[in-house]
Amino acid sequence: MKRFAVLYDEKLKEYDLGHVLKADRYQNFMDHFQSKLGDHPDFEIVSPPYATHHDLRLVHTPAYIQRMERCESRDPLDTPLSPEFVRATKLLAGAGKLAGELVQQERCEKAFVVGGGVQHASRSCEKGFGVFSDVGICAENLMQHFNLRRILIVDTDAHAGDGIYEIFCEDPRVLFISVHQDPRTLYPGTGFINQMGEGPGKGYSVNIPLLPGAGDKSYAYVMEEIVFPLGERFLPQMVLMVDGCDPHVTDQITQMGLSLAGIRQIGEKMGQLARTVCKGKLIDFVGSGYNDNPDTVSLGWLASISGVTGVRIDLQEPKMIPTHISPEPGLKETREVVDLLKQRLNPYWGYLGSP
Ligand SMILES: [Zn+2]
């Protein structure tokens, strides 16, 4: 097997909700992938299996799985259910599980779950375009069947990962860090600094809300000041990333203002962290991005892959960064958030620097 596995099967086209999340993104991405990396000797496309009922039970309750099979949605506007869509969500869940196993067994160094990164679904609730938690199933499988004791999940999707938070908020084996647009301005409306986990998991969930338009420098600052130092202290045995293209400046439902270079820079930092702490073992779930032009979404996913792997890919920004976004928008506010967060984190992680 090659060094980097890209988990994808064309059956994923059933993951189509008919609104901002449409299936054309997957084939579009694979076309871009083939044109940029198709000849690269380190990449291999791997077709994932559907998750079994047993796999889904790693995270989800039996009653919930049954309700999904009956297509009874409680979030019918964002997450309408059909047999085809529910089937496709099992493909993503199967991809998440397989990605973890391939990397853990050192059959490859890194794996990419195309279309993955279900953030809002919890153990018993579908939400925000997601049904079965590919990220959660990946992590639970590694803990239950491979005896991993420390998994780091870093979620830089523009939306707060409220579902992932709910799944792991009491579990100190999972350090979950979510960097996202201020929830006062964006779905899902939670993900505030004071949500730091519950019970034995207190201190192992970190929510970092940033103002709209925060941009590349704010993300770089957060990675440098919070994500990297916590990662070095936690010493994860595996790094999971949830990202994609929805923090990009052209996104039509979020306002984070990242460039493709900014997305790549996050990937670079995460790749560096994984090399430092766990022999480079990393799984990247790339699925977000809401844009009339699917090319833009594909470029964002490629930017992440480029950053994480260190493989240079020539990526042209799809459109000029709007001039109303200054070079350092909101950096002052980001520093304030980071200082406040450090004060809250110090009791759990030791001194993280001078606020
Ligand atoms: Zn998102």
Side-chain angles (χ1 to χ4, degrees):
M1 182 137 197
K2 295 179 181 174
R3 190 171 165 212
F4 305 128
V6 175
L7 278 75
Y8 170 75
D9 189 288
E10 66 171 5
K11 297 195 290 279
L12 192 59
K13 68 184 175 206
E14 291 187 323
Y15 207 101
D16 188 327
L17 286 163
H19 50 46
V20 292
L21 199 152
K22 294 191 193 74
D24 56 355
R25 59 183 52 214
Y26 308 117
Q27 190 56 51
N28 186 287
F29 170 73
M30 292 311 293
D31 291 345
H32 280 273
F33 176 84
Q34 290 296 353
S35 80
K36 303 279 188 190
L37 292 170
D39 297 331
H40 197 286
D42 288 344
F43 287 87
E44 178 169 344
I45 296 170
V46 178
S47 177
Y50 287 107
T52 63
H53 181 84
H54 185 73
D55 298 336
L56 301 176
R57 286 283 291 115
L58 285 161
V59 167
H60 300 285
T61 63
Y64 174 67
I65 297 168
Q66 283 165 18
R67 183 165 66 78
M68 293 303 100
E69 301 285 11
R70 294 196 304 268
C71 296
E72 292 174 14
S73 181
R74 291 179 185 166
D75 182 35
L77 291 180
D78 279 354
T79 322
L81 301 180
S82 67
E84 296 76 22
F85 175 69
V86 171
R87 182 161 55 216
T89 67
K90 292 181 192 170
L91 191 63
L92 275 191
K97 178 168 175 271
L98 178 62
E101 294 176 355
L102 291 177
V103 174
Q104 176 58 23
Q105 293 165 342
E106 302 191 3
R107 292 167 63 193
C108 62
E109 181 191 297
K110 292 179 171 57
F112 299 89
V113 179
V114 175
V118 172
Q119 288 187 290
H120 306 300
S122 62
R123 291 187 187 274
S124 59
C125 186
E126 79 283 17
K127 225 177 116 189
F129 314 163
V131 169
F132 298 121
S133 178
D134 51 356
V135 179
I137 287 167
C138 175
E140 282 289 358
N141 183 50
L142 289 169
M143 293 191 290
Q144 292 187 27
H145 297 140
F146 295 86
N147 208 28
L148 265 63
R149 288 288 168 263
R150 293 179 310 280
I151 294 176
L152 171 65
I153 304 175
V154 176
D155 177 346
T156 55
D157 183 284
H159 301 90
D162 58 336
I164 302 172
Y165 177 87
E166 267 186 64
I167 290 168
F168 293 116
C169 66
E170 295 182 22
D171 193 339
R173 297 172 303 173
V174 175
L175 171 57
F176 175 55
I177 305 177
S178 180
V179 188
H180 46 259
Q181 184 168 324
D182 192 319
R184 290 171 301 184
T185 67
L186 187 68
Y187 183 92
T190 61
F192 296 101
I193 283 181
N194 62 357
Q195 294 175 265
M196 299 181 68
E198 304 289 336
K202 195 96 176 153
Y204 291 89
S205 288
V206 181
N207 279 290
I208 311 177
L210 303 179
L211 286 182
D216 296 355
K217 291 197 174 174
S218 279
Y219 274 80
Y221 187 74
V222 165
M223 298 300 291
E224 197 64 48
E225 294 291 321
I226 302 281
V227 178
F228 210 93
L230 287 189
E232 284 186 313
R233 289 170 198 213
F234 184 59
L235 293 176
Q237 296 159 292
M238 181 84 75
V239 174
L240 275 52
M241 272 177 81
V242 180
D243 68 342
C245 193
D246 76 357
H248 190 259
V249 65
T250 62
D251 199 84
Q252 289 166 355
I253 66 171
T254 72
Q255 292 85 34
M256 290 317 288
L258 277 186
S259 67
L260 290 180
I263 293 175
R264 172 151 43 197
Q265 160 193 276
I266 294 169
E268 283 169 359
K269 204 69 192 170
M270 293 304 300
Q272 185 190 342
L273 178 62
R275 280 195 304 279
T276 306
V277 298
C278 57
K279 296 195 291 187
K281 289 180 176 179
L282 183 149
I283 297 156
D284 190 4
F285 295 80
V286 284
S288 75
Y290 309 99
N291 202 304
D292 289 338
N293 183 355
D295 292 337
T296 305
V297 175
S298 297
L299 292 177
W301 297 3
L302 281 174
S304 177
I305 291 172
S306 170
V308 164
T309 59
V311 173
R312 292 304 295 181
I313 307 174
D314 180 31
L315 298 170
Q316 206 73 37
E317 280 291 340
K319 112 177 168 191
M320 293 295 289
I321 306 288
T323 49
H324 67 270
I325 295 182
S326 70
E328 293 188 6
L331 192 54
K332 178 172 164 287
E333 289 83 357
T334 299
R335 287 179 193 275
E336 288 168 7
V337 166
V338 165
D339 286 349
L340 189 58
L341 201 51
K342 282 180 176 175
Q343 289 171 22
R344 303 269 179 103
L345 290 168
N346 283 342
Y348 302 99
W349 295 97
Y351 187 60
L352 282 162
S354 174

